PDB file of all heavy atoms in Angstrom:
ATOM      1  N   SER H 217     125.170 102.831  94.449  1.00 97.00           N
ATOM      2  CA  SER H 217     124.529 102.344  95.664  1.00 97.00           C
ATOM      3  C   SER H 217     123.121 101.801  95.346  1.00 97.00           C
ATOM      4  O   SER H 217     122.331 102.565  94.806  1.00 97.00           O
ATOM      5  CB  SER H 217     124.462 103.459  96.726  1.00 97.00           C
ATOM      6  OG  SER H 217     125.699 103.919  97.055  1.00 97.00           O
ATOM      7  N   ILE H 218     122.912 100.569  95.674  1.00 98.00           N
ATOM      8  CA  ILE H 218     121.635  99.875  95.423  1.00 98.00           C
ATOM      9  C   ILE H 218     121.273  99.102  96.686  1.00 98.00           C
ATOM     10  O   ILE H 218     122.078  98.398  97.259  1.00 98.00           O
ATOM     11  CB  ILE H 218     121.669  98.965  94.220  1.00 98.00           C
ATOM     12  CG1 ILE H 218     121.814  99.777  92.902  1.00 98.00           C
ATOM     13  CG2 ILE H 218     120.411  98.112  94.154  1.00 98.00           C
ATOM     14  CD1 ILE H 218     121.914  98.952  91.693  1.00 98.00           C
ATOM     15  N   TYR H 219     120.067  99.243  97.128  1.00 98.00           N
ATOM     16  CA  TYR H 219     119.593  98.507  98.351  1.00 98.00           C
ATOM     17  C   TYR H 219     118.261  97.826  98.023  1.00 98.00           C
ATOM     18  O   TYR H 219     117.473  98.351  97.239  1.00 98.00           O
ATOM     19  CB  TYR H 219     119.447  99.456  99.507  1.00 98.00           C
ATOM     20  CG  TYR H 219     120.667 100.216  99.851  1.00 98.00           C
ATOM     21  CD1 TYR H 219     120.878 101.509  99.464  1.00 98.00           C
ATOM     22  CD2 TYR H 219     121.697  99.565 100.588  1.00 98.00           C
ATOM     23  CE1 TYR H 219     122.063 102.200  99.808  1.00 98.00           C
ATOM     24  CE2 TYR H 219     122.838 100.245 100.909  1.00 98.00           C
ATOM     25  CZ  TYR H 219     123.061 101.556 100.514  1.00 98.00           C
ATOM     26  OH  TYR H 219     124.206 102.240 100.833  1.00 98.00           O
ATOM     27  N   TYR H 220     118.062  96.690  98.657  1.00 98.00           N
ATOM     28  CA  TYR H 220     116.800  95.927  98.488  1.00 98.00           C
ATOM     29  C   TYR H 220     116.316  95.543  99.916  1.00 98.00           C
ATOM     30  O   TYR H 220     117.102  95.243 100.850  1.00 98.00           O
ATOM     31  CB  TYR H 220     117.015  94.640  97.711  1.00 98.00           C
ATOM     32  CG  TYR H 220     117.442  94.873  96.286  1.00 98.00           C
ATOM     33  CD1 TYR H 220     118.748  94.750  95.890  1.00 98.00           C
ATOM     34  CD2 TYR H 220     116.459  95.235  95.302  1.00 98.00           C
ATOM     35  CE1 TYR H 220     119.126  94.981  94.517  1.00 98.00           C
ATOM     36  CE2 TYR H 220     116.828  95.375  93.979  1.00 98.00           C
ATOM     37  CZ  TYR H 220     118.169  95.306  93.598  1.00 98.00           C
ATOM     38  OH  TYR H 220     118.546  95.473  92.305  1.00 98.00           O
ATOM     39  N   ALA H 221     114.983  95.432  99.987  1.00 98.00           N
ATOM     40  CA  ALA H 221     114.403  94.829 101.162  1.00 98.00           C
ATOM     41  C   ALA H 221     114.763  93.326 101.120  1.00 98.00           C
ATOM     42  O   ALA H 221     114.823  92.681 100.097  1.00 98.00           O
ATOM     43  CB  ALA H 221     112.885  94.978 101.142  1.00 98.00           C
ATOM     44  N   ASP H 222     114.865  92.740 102.277  1.00 98.00           N
ATOM     45  CA  ASP H 222     115.204  91.307 102.396  1.00 98.00           C
ATOM     46  C   ASP H 222     114.201  90.477 101.647  1.00 98.00           C
ATOM     47  O   ASP H 222     114.541  89.430 101.077  1.00 98.00           O
ATOM     48  CB  ASP H 222     115.381  90.867 103.843  1.00 98.00           C
ATOM     49  CG  ASP H 222     116.618  91.403 104.502  1.00 98.00           C
ATOM     50  OD1 ASP H 222     117.544  91.857 103.784  1.00 98.00           O
ATOM     51  OD2 ASP H 222     116.633  91.398 105.748  1.00 98.00           O
ATOM     52  N   SER H 223     112.955  90.862 101.688  1.00 98.00           N
ATOM     53  CA  SER H 223     111.881  90.056 101.125  1.00 98.00           C
ATOM     54  C   SER H 223     111.947  89.975  99.600  1.00 98.00           C
ATOM     55  O   SER H 223     111.290  89.121  99.004  1.00 98.00           O
ATOM     56  CB  SER H 223     110.498  90.636 101.526  1.00 98.00           C
ATOM     57  OG  SER H 223     110.382  92.003 101.154  1.00 98.00           O
ATOM     58  N   VAL H 224     112.670  90.895  98.938  1.00 98.00           N
ATOM     59  CA  VAL H 224     112.745  90.831  97.488  1.00 98.00           C
ATOM     60  C   VAL H 224     114.134  90.566  96.946  1.00 98.00           C
ATOM     61  O   VAL H 224     114.296  90.431  95.753  1.00 98.00           O
ATOM     62  CB  VAL H 224     112.184  92.158  96.893  1.00 98.00           C
ATOM     63  CG1 VAL H 224     110.789  92.507  97.399  1.00 98.00           C
ATOM     64  CG2 VAL H 224     113.147  93.347  97.124  1.00 98.00           C
ATOM     65  N   LYS H 225     115.083  90.543  97.850  1.00 98.00           N
ATOM     66  CA  LYS H 225     116.476  90.349  97.434  1.00 98.00           C
ATOM     67  C   LYS H 225     116.630  89.046  96.602  1.00 98.00           C
ATOM     68  O   LYS H 225     116.116  88.048  97.039  1.00 98.00           O
ATOM     69  CB  LYS H 225     117.391  90.351  98.657  1.00 98.00           C
ATOM     70  CG  LYS H 225     118.794  90.714  98.388  1.00 98.00           C
ATOM     71  CD  LYS H 225     119.539  90.922  99.723  1.00 98.00           C
ATOM     72  CE  LYS H 225     119.066  92.106 100.449  1.00 98.00           C
ATOM     73  NZ  LYS H 225     119.814  92.359 101.711  1.00 98.00           N
ATOM     74  N   GLY H 226     117.277  89.111  95.521  1.00 98.00           N
ATOM     75  CA  GLY H 226     117.496  88.004  94.609  1.00 98.00           C
ATOM     76  C   GLY H 226     116.367  87.757  93.603  1.00 98.00           C
ATOM     77  O   GLY H 226     116.531  86.901  92.700  1.00 98.00           O
ATOM     78  N   ARG H 227     115.250  88.463  93.811  1.00 98.00           N
ATOM     79  CA  ARG H 227     114.127  88.287  92.861  1.00 98.00           C
ATOM     80  C   ARG H 227     113.849  89.575  92.098  1.00 98.00           C
ATOM     81  O   ARG H 227     113.437  89.513  90.952  1.00 98.00           O
ATOM     82  CB  ARG H 227     112.850  87.907  93.654  1.00 98.00           C
ATOM     83  CG  ARG H 227     112.963  86.612  94.392  1.00 98.00           C
ATOM     84  CD  ARG H 227     111.589  86.191  95.032  1.00 98.00           C
ATOM     85  NE  ARG H 227     111.137  87.163  95.927  1.00 98.00           N
ATOM     86  CZ  ARG H 227     109.952  87.801  95.858  1.00 98.00           C
ATOM     87  NH1 ARG H 227     109.157  87.536  94.805  1.00 98.00           N
ATOM     88  NH2 ARG H 227     109.540  88.638  96.786  1.00 98.00           N
ATOM     89  N   PHE H 228     114.071  90.722  92.706  1.00 98.00           N
ATOM     90  CA  PHE H 228     113.815  92.016  92.107  1.00 98.00           C
ATOM     91  C   PHE H 228     115.106  92.726  91.754  1.00 98.00           C
ATOM     92  O   PHE H 228     116.133  92.546  92.440  1.00 98.00           O
ATOM     93  CB  PHE H 228     113.031  92.947  93.068  1.00 98.00           C
ATOM     94  CG  PHE H 228     111.615  92.509  93.297  1.00 98.00           C
ATOM     95  CD1 PHE H 228     111.148  91.319  92.875  1.00 98.00           C
ATOM     96  CD2 PHE H 228     110.760  93.408  93.950  1.00 98.00           C
ATOM     97  CE1 PHE H 228     109.774  90.918  93.147  1.00 98.00           C
ATOM     98  CE2 PHE H 228     109.449  93.054  94.220  1.00 98.00           C
ATOM     99  CZ  PHE H 228     108.971  91.791  93.885  1.00 98.00           C
ATOM    100  N   THR H 229     115.131  93.464  90.666  1.00 98.00           N
ATOM    101  CA  THR H 229     116.271  94.249  90.228  1.00 98.00           C
ATOM    102  C   THR H 229     115.838  95.679  89.920  1.00 98.00           C
ATOM    103  O   THR H 229     114.957  95.854  89.070  1.00 98.00           O
ATOM    104  CB  THR H 229     116.958  93.645  89.033  1.00 98.00           C
ATOM    105  OG1 THR H 229     117.333  92.297  89.290  1.00 98.00           O
ATOM    106  CG2 THR H 229     118.174  94.470  88.639  1.00 98.00           C
ATOM    107  N   ILE H 230     116.478  96.640  90.598  1.00 98.00           N
ATOM    108  CA  ILE H 230     116.216  98.058  90.321  1.00 98.00           C
ATOM    109  C   ILE H 230     117.250  98.613  89.369  1.00 98.00           C
ATOM    110  O   ILE H 230     118.418  98.214  89.456  1.00 98.00           O
ATOM    111  CB  ILE H 230     116.129  98.885  91.604  1.00 98.00           C
ATOM    112  CG1 ILE H 230     115.654 100.302  91.392  1.00 98.00           C
ATOM    113  CG2 ILE H 230     117.502  98.879  92.295  1.00 98.00           C
ATOM    114  CD1 ILE H 230     115.396 101.100  92.656  1.00 98.00           C
ATOM    115  N   SER H 231     116.815  99.412  88.461  1.00 98.00           N
ATOM    116  CA  SER H 231     117.788 100.103  87.512  1.00 98.00           C
ATOM    117  C   SER H 231     117.249 101.473  87.060  1.00 98.00           C
ATOM    118  O   SER H 231     116.073 101.704  87.276  1.00 98.00           O
ATOM    119  CB  SER H 231     118.057  99.168  86.317  1.00 98.00           C
ATOM    120  OG  SER H 231     116.834  98.979  85.586  1.00 98.00           O
ATOM    121  N   ARG H 232     118.093 102.219  86.435  1.00 97.00           N
ATOM    122  CA  ARG H 232     117.665 103.520  86.005  1.00 97.00           C
ATOM    123  C   ARG H 232     118.427 103.918  84.718  1.00 97.00           C
ATOM    124  O   ARG H 232     119.532 103.443  84.438  1.00 97.00           O
ATOM    125  CB  ARG H 232     117.875 104.525  87.109  1.00 97.00           C
ATOM    126  CG  ARG H 232     119.325 104.814  87.456  1.00 97.00           C
ATOM    127  CD  ARG H 232     119.435 105.662  88.698  1.00 97.00           C
ATOM    128  NE  ARG H 232     118.900 107.016  88.434  1.00 97.00           N
ATOM    129  CZ  ARG H 232     118.583 107.893  89.411  1.00 97.00           C
ATOM    130  NH1 ARG H 232     118.832 107.583  90.697  1.00 97.00           N
ATOM    131  NH2 ARG H 232     118.135 109.078  89.116  1.00 97.00           N
ATOM    132  N   GLU H 233     117.796 104.775  83.933  1.00 97.00           N
ATOM    133  CA  GLU H 233     118.404 105.411  82.773  1.00 97.00           C
ATOM    134  C   GLU H 233     118.259 106.916  82.955  1.00 97.00           C
ATOM    135  O   GLU H 233     117.196 107.503  82.695  1.00 97.00           O
ATOM    136  CB  GLU H 233     117.699 104.985  81.523  1.00 97.00           C
ATOM    137  CG  GLU H 233     117.909 103.537  81.122  1.00 97.00           C
ATOM    138  CD  GLU H 233     117.304 103.268  79.744  1.00 97.00           C
ATOM    139  OE1 GLU H 233     118.006 103.446  78.723  1.00 97.00           O
ATOM    140  OE2 GLU H 233     116.129 102.818  79.699  1.00 97.00           O
ATOM    141  N   ASN H 234     119.348 107.574  83.407  1.00 94.00           N
ATOM    142  CA  ASN H 234     119.268 108.950  83.714  1.00 94.00           C
ATOM    143  C   ASN H 234     119.001 109.875  82.511  1.00 94.00           C
ATOM    144  O   ASN H 234     118.264 110.830  82.644  1.00 94.00           O
ATOM    145  CB  ASN H 234     120.604 109.407  84.405  1.00 94.00           C
ATOM    146  CG  ASN H 234     120.753 108.837  85.742  1.00 94.00           C
ATOM    147  OD1 ASN H 234     119.790 108.413  86.431  1.00 94.00           O
ATOM    148  ND2 ASN H 234     121.993 108.739  86.218  1.00 94.00           N
ATOM    149  N   ALA H 235     119.522 109.492  81.352  1.00 93.00           N
ATOM    150  CA  ALA H 235     119.298 110.324  80.146  1.00 93.00           C
ATOM    151  C   ALA H 235     117.842 110.341  79.780  1.00 93.00           C
ATOM    152  O   ALA H 235     117.328 111.323  79.248  1.00 93.00           O
ATOM    153  CB  ALA H 235     120.112 109.782  79.028  1.00 93.00           C
ATOM    154  N   LYS H 236     117.118 109.249  80.113  1.00 95.00           N
ATOM    155  CA  LYS H 236     115.677 109.200  79.799  1.00 95.00           C
ATOM    156  C   LYS H 236     114.822 109.539  80.976  1.00 95.00           C
ATOM    157  O   LYS H 236     113.593 109.540  80.892  1.00 95.00           O
ATOM    158  CB  LYS H 236     115.336 107.788  79.305  1.00 95.00           C
ATOM    159  CG  LYS H 236     115.982 107.395  78.027  1.00 95.00           C
ATOM    160  CD  LYS H 236     115.552 105.975  77.619  1.00 95.00           C
ATOM    161  CE  LYS H 236     116.176 105.579  76.259  1.00 95.00           C
ATOM    162  NZ  LYS H 236     115.753 104.199  75.858  1.00 95.00           N
ATOM    163  N   LYS H 237     115.432 109.784  82.141  1.00 95.00           N
ATOM    164  CA  LYS H 237     114.703 110.057  83.362  1.00 95.00           C
ATOM    165  C   LYS H 237     113.729 108.917  83.708  1.00 95.00           C
ATOM    166  O   LYS H 237     112.579 109.120  83.991  1.00 95.00           O
ATOM    167  CB  LYS H 237     114.001 111.395  83.286  1.00 95.00           C
ATOM    168  CG  LYS H 237     114.930 112.614  83.188  1.00 95.00           C
ATOM    169  CD  LYS H 237     114.146 113.853  83.265  1.00 95.00           C
ATOM    170  CE  LYS H 237     115.024 115.064  83.235  1.00 95.00           C
ATOM    171  NZ  LYS H 237     114.333 116.387  83.382  1.00 95.00           N
ATOM    172  N   MET H 238     114.247 107.712  83.588  1.00 97.00           N
ATOM    173  CA  MET H 238     113.442 106.540  83.852  1.00 97.00           C
ATOM    174  C   MET H 238     114.000 105.683  84.967  1.00 97.00           C
ATOM    175  O   MET H 238     115.216 105.543  85.141  1.00 97.00           O
ATOM    176  CB  MET H 238     113.355 105.663  82.625  1.00 97.00           C
ATOM    177  CG  MET H 238     112.604 106.293  81.433  1.00 97.00           C
ATOM    178  SD  MET H 238     110.831 106.534  81.775  1.00 97.00           S
ATOM    179  CE  MET H 238     110.291 104.811  81.956  1.00 97.00           C
ATOM    180  N   LEU H 239     113.053 105.079  85.726  1.00 98.00           N
ATOM    181  CA  LEU H 239     113.420 104.139  86.781  1.00 98.00           C
ATOM    182  C   LEU H 239     112.689 102.859  86.499  1.00 98.00           C
ATOM    183  O   LEU H 239     111.542 102.889  85.997  1.00 98.00           O
ATOM    184  CB  LEU H 239     113.038 104.662  88.116  1.00 98.00           C
ATOM    185  CG  LEU H 239     113.211 103.716  89.349  1.00 98.00           C
ATOM    186  CD1 LEU H 239     114.705 103.622  89.673  1.00 98.00           C
ATOM    187  CD2 LEU H 239     112.479 104.231  90.576  1.00 98.00           C
ATOM    188  N   TYR H 240     113.312 101.669  86.774  1.00 98.00           N
ATOM    189  CA  TYR H 240     112.698 100.392  86.465  1.00 98.00           C
ATOM    190  C   TYR H 240     112.769  99.476  87.712  1.00 98.00           C
ATOM    191  O   TYR H 240     113.629  99.609  88.584  1.00 98.00           O
ATOM    192  CB  TYR H 240     113.406  99.710  85.330  1.00 98.00           C
ATOM    193  CG  TYR H 240     113.468 100.560  84.081  1.00 98.00           C
ATOM    194  CD1 TYR H 240     114.639 101.252  83.741  1.00 98.00           C
ATOM    195  CD2 TYR H 240     112.351 100.717  83.220  1.00 98.00           C
ATOM    196  CE1 TYR H 240     114.747 101.998  82.620  1.00 98.00           C
ATOM    197  CE2 TYR H 240     112.417 101.483  82.087  1.00 98.00           C
ATOM    198  CZ  TYR H 240     113.642 102.139  81.781  1.00 98.00           C
ATOM    199  OH  TYR H 240     113.727 102.943  80.662  1.00 98.00           O
ATOM    200  N   LEU H 241     111.843  98.563  87.740  1.00 98.00           N
ATOM    201  CA  LEU H 241     111.892  97.441  88.746  1.00 98.00           C
ATOM    202  C   LEU H 241     111.511  96.192  88.049  1.00 98.00           C
ATOM    203  O   LEU H 241     110.319  95.993  87.679  1.00 98.00           O
ATOM    204  CB  LEU H 241     110.962  97.741  89.935  1.00 98.00           C
ATOM    205  CG  LEU H 241     111.050  96.716  91.056  1.00 98.00           C
ATOM    206  CD1 LEU H 241     112.405  96.867  91.759  1.00 98.00           C
ATOM    207  CD2 LEU H 241     109.950  96.889  92.089  1.00 98.00           C
ATOM    208  N   GLN H 242     112.492  95.327  87.799  1.00 98.00           N
ATOM    209  CA  GLN H 242     112.249  94.028  87.232  1.00 98.00           C
ATOM    210  C   GLN H 242     111.919  93.067  88.370  1.00 98.00           C
ATOM    211  O   GLN H 242     112.707  92.881  89.269  1.00 98.00           O
ATOM    212  CB  GLN H 242     113.493  93.487  86.471  1.00 98.00           C
ATOM    213  CG  GLN H 242     113.300  92.120  85.874  1.00 98.00           C
ATOM    214  CD  GLN H 242     112.213  92.106  84.774  1.00 98.00           C
ATOM    215  OE1 GLN H 242     112.174  92.959  83.916  1.00 98.00           O
ATOM    216  NE2 GLN H 242     111.406  91.059  84.802  1.00 98.00           N
ATOM    217  N   MET H 243     110.747  92.456  88.300  1.00 98.00           N
ATOM    218  CA  MET H 243     110.273  91.569  89.371  1.00 98.00           C
ATOM    219  C   MET H 243     110.087  90.192  88.817  1.00 98.00           C
ATOM    220  O   MET H 243     109.294  89.950  87.922  1.00 98.00           O
ATOM    221  CB  MET H 243     108.928  92.121  89.928  1.00 98.00           C
ATOM    222  CG  MET H 243     109.000  93.536  90.378  1.00 98.00           C
ATOM    223  SD  MET H 243     107.441  94.095  91.210  1.00 98.00           S
ATOM    224  CE  MET H 243     106.347  93.993  89.840  1.00 98.00           C
ATOM    225  N   ASN H 244     110.898  89.276  89.304  1.00 98.00           N
ATOM    226  CA  ASN H 244     110.838  87.861  88.891  1.00 98.00           C
ATOM    227  C   ASN H 244     110.393  86.978  90.057  1.00 98.00           C
ATOM    228  O   ASN H 244     110.420  87.405  91.220  1.00 98.00           O
ATOM    229  CB  ASN H 244     112.230  87.413  88.434  1.00 98.00           C
ATOM    230  CG  ASN H 244     112.704  88.195  87.194  1.00 98.00           C
ATOM    231  OD1 ASN H 244     111.894  88.641  86.390  1.00 98.00           O
ATOM    232  ND2 ASN H 244     114.019  88.332  87.082  1.00 98.00           N
ATOM    233  N   SER H 245     109.995  85.775  89.735  1.00 98.00           N
ATOM    234  CA  SER H 245     109.579  84.783  90.799  1.00 98.00           C
ATOM    235  C   SER H 245     108.540  85.399  91.718  1.00 98.00           C
ATOM    236  O   SER H 245     108.721  85.323  92.929  1.00 98.00           O
ATOM    237  CB  SER H 245     110.829  84.269  91.530  1.00 98.00           C
ATOM    238  OG  SER H 245     111.736  83.676  90.667  1.00 98.00           O
ATOM    239  N   LEU H 246     107.587  86.081  91.186  1.00 98.00           N
ATOM    240  CA  LEU H 246     106.591  86.804  92.004  1.00 98.00           C
ATOM    241  C   LEU H 246     105.882  85.867  92.889  1.00 98.00           C
ATOM    242  O   LEU H 246     105.535  84.713  92.491  1.00 98.00           O
ATOM    243  CB  LEU H 246     105.717  87.588  91.126  1.00 98.00           C
ATOM    244  CG  LEU H 246     106.352  88.919  90.603  1.00 98.00           C
ATOM    245  CD1 LEU H 246     105.551  89.459  89.404  1.00 98.00           C
ATOM    246  CD2 LEU H 246     106.376  89.937  91.734  1.00 98.00           C
ATOM    247  N   LYS H 247     105.504  86.326  94.065  1.00 98.00           N
ATOM    248  CA  LYS H 247     104.713  85.553  95.042  1.00 98.00           C
ATOM    249  C   LYS H 247     103.425  86.325  95.394  1.00 98.00           C
ATOM    250  O   LYS H 247     103.362  87.533  95.239  1.00 98.00           O
ATOM    251  CB  LYS H 247     105.540  85.420  96.331  1.00 98.00           C
ATOM    252  CG  LYS H 247     106.890  84.788  96.119  1.00 98.00           C
ATOM    253  CD  LYS H 247     107.691  84.776  97.459  1.00 98.00           C
ATOM    254  CE  LYS H 247     109.071  84.234  97.291  1.00 98.00           C
ATOM    255  NZ  LYS H 247     109.850  84.235  98.560  1.00 98.00           N
ATOM    256  N   PRO H 248     102.428  85.633  95.851  1.00 97.00           N
ATOM    257  CA  PRO H 248     101.177  86.308  96.205  1.00 97.00           C
ATOM    258  C   PRO H 248     101.426  87.402  97.240  1.00 97.00           C
ATOM    259  O   PRO H 248     100.719  88.457  97.203  1.00 97.00           O
ATOM    260  CB  PRO H 248     100.302  85.171  96.790  1.00 97.00           C
ATOM    261  CG  PRO H 248     100.785  83.949  96.114  1.00 97.00           C
ATOM    262  CD  PRO H 248     102.268  84.144  95.871  1.00 97.00           C
ATOM    263  N   GLU H 249     102.396  87.264  98.129  1.00 97.00           N
ATOM    264  CA  GLU H 249     102.666  88.273  99.106  1.00 97.00           C
ATOM    265  C   GLU H 249     103.304  89.570  98.504  1.00 97.00           C
ATOM    266  O   GLU H 249     103.502  90.568  99.191  1.00 97.00           O
ATOM    267  CB  GLU H 249     103.558  87.735 100.238  1.00 97.00           C
ATOM    268  CG  GLU H 249     104.814  86.993  99.772  1.00 97.00           C
ATOM    269  CD  GLU H 249     104.566  85.486  99.728  1.00 97.00           C
ATOM    270  OE1 GLU H 249     103.481  85.031  99.206  1.00 97.00           O
ATOM    271  OE2 GLU H 249     105.475  84.738 100.174  1.00 97.00           O
ATOM    272  N   ASP H 250     103.645  89.508  97.221  1.00 98.00           N
ATOM    273  CA  ASP H 250     104.133  90.718  96.521  1.00 98.00           C
ATOM    274  C   ASP H 250     102.976  91.663  96.067  1.00 98.00           C
ATOM    275  O   ASP H 250     103.225  92.726  95.582  1.00 98.00           O
ATOM    276  CB  ASP H 250     105.013  90.366  95.356  1.00 98.00           C
ATOM    277  CG  ASP H 250     106.277  89.631  95.725  1.00 98.00           C
ATOM    278  OD1 ASP H 250     106.915  90.074  96.715  1.00 98.00           O
ATOM    279  OD2 ASP H 250     106.671  88.631  95.065  1.00 98.00           O
ATOM    280  N   THR H 251     101.774  91.124  96.221  1.00 98.00           N
ATOM    281  CA  THR H 251     100.607  91.928  95.813  1.00 98.00           C
ATOM    282  C   THR H 251     100.542  93.192  96.587  1.00 98.00           C
ATOM    283  O   THR H 251     100.551  93.132  97.829  1.00 98.00           O
ATOM    284  CB  THR H 251      99.327  91.081  96.000  1.00 98.00           C
ATOM    285  OG1 THR H 251      99.304  89.963  95.131  1.00 98.00           O
ATOM    286  CG2 THR H 251      98.094  91.968  95.738  1.00 98.00           C
ATOM    287  N   ALA H 252     100.477  94.311  95.885  1.00 98.00           N
ATOM    288  CA  ALA H 252     100.507  95.649  96.523  1.00 98.00           C
ATOM    289  C   ALA H 252     100.383  96.702  95.468  1.00 98.00           C
ATOM    290  O   ALA H 252     100.542  96.469  94.261  1.00 98.00           O
ATOM    291  CB  ALA H 252     101.768  95.807  97.368  1.00 98.00           C
ATOM    292  N   VAL H 253     100.152  97.964  95.910  1.00 98.00           N
ATOM    293  CA  VAL H 253     100.348  99.074  95.050  1.00 98.00           C
ATOM    294  C   VAL H 253     101.831  99.479  95.192  1.00 98.00           C
ATOM    295  O   VAL H 253     102.327  99.699  96.264  1.00 98.00           O
ATOM    296  CB  VAL H 253      99.443 100.284  95.465  1.00 98.00           C
ATOM    297  CG1 VAL H 253      99.735 101.440  94.587  1.00 98.00           C
ATOM    298  CG2 VAL H 253      97.949  99.848  95.346  1.00 98.00           C
ATOM    299  N   TYR H 254     102.480  99.636  94.031  1.00 98.00           N
ATOM    300  CA  TYR H 254     103.855  99.972  94.019  1.00 98.00           C
ATOM    301  C   TYR H 254     104.057 101.432  93.644  1.00 98.00           C
ATOM    302  O   TYR H 254     103.491 101.926  92.688  1.00 98.00           O
ATOM    303  CB  TYR H 254     104.640  99.082  92.995  1.00 98.00           C
ATOM    304  CG  TYR H 254     104.889  97.698  93.535  1.00 98.00           C
ATOM    305  CD1 TYR H 254     103.811  96.820  93.690  1.00 98.00           C
ATOM    306  CD2 TYR H 254     106.143  97.263  93.893  1.00 98.00           C
ATOM    307  CE1 TYR H 254     104.028  95.560  94.214  1.00 98.00           C
ATOM    308  CE2 TYR H 254     106.428  95.995  94.441  1.00 98.00           C
ATOM    309  CZ  TYR H 254     105.291  95.184  94.580  1.00 98.00           C
ATOM    310  OH  TYR H 254     105.551  93.887  95.082  1.00 98.00           O
ATOM    311  N   TYR H 255     104.865 102.131  94.463  1.00 98.00           N
ATOM    312  CA  TYR H 255     105.119 103.578  94.273  1.00 98.00           C
ATOM    313  C   TYR H 255     106.519 103.855  93.961  1.00 98.00           C
ATOM    314  O   TYR H 255     107.416 103.297  94.539  1.00 98.00           O
ATOM    315  CB  TYR H 255     104.740 104.292  95.586  1.00 98.00           C
ATOM    316  CG  TYR H 255     103.320 104.227  96.024  1.00 98.00           C
ATOM    317  CD1 TYR H 255     102.854 103.235  96.841  1.00 98.00           C
ATOM    318  CD2 TYR H 255     102.355 105.179  95.547  1.00 98.00           C
ATOM    319  CE1 TYR H 255     101.531 103.115  97.219  1.00 98.00           C
ATOM    320  CE2 TYR H 255     101.030 105.073  95.937  1.00 98.00           C
ATOM    321  CZ  TYR H 255     100.622 104.053  96.810  1.00 98.00           C
ATOM    322  OH  TYR H 255      99.352 103.964  97.175  1.00 98.00           O
ATOM    323  N   CYS H 256     106.665 104.794  93.044  1.00 98.00           N
ATOM    324  CA  CYS H 256     107.978 105.348  92.680  1.00 98.00           C
ATOM    325  C   CYS H 256     108.254 106.595  93.525  1.00 98.00           C
ATOM    326  O   CYS H 256     107.299 107.339  93.802  1.00 98.00           O
ATOM    327  CB  CYS H 256     107.974 105.658  91.197  1.00 98.00           C
ATOM    328  SG  CYS H 256     109.425 106.513  90.590  1.00 98.00           S
TER     329      CYS H 256
END
């Protein structure tokens, strides 16, 4: 199950590696309105 906000759909990709206990967010085609503090 993976969900995205409409504003980032098609540009951002969420993924995880459970063995490493890691979460990722690949952000492409960034826009000025993406400026923010990002929280995990």
Side-chain angles (χ1 to χ4, degrees):
S217 299
I218 292 177
Y219 302 101
Y220 295 100
D222 288 342
S223 59
V224 307
K225 204 171 293 183
R227 300 188 298 122
F228 291 10
T229 302
I230 189 172
S231 62
R232 64 187 297 166
E233 289 186 88
N234 291 338
K236 296 182 179 180
K237 295 187 176 181
M238 293 293 296
L239 176 73
Y240 306 100
L241 185 68
Q242 178 65 43
M243 305 186 295
N244 298 329
S245 302
L246 283 162
K247 305 175 181 179
E249 50 263 45
D250 294 319
T251 295
V253 177
Y254 284 70
Y255 297 91
C256 173

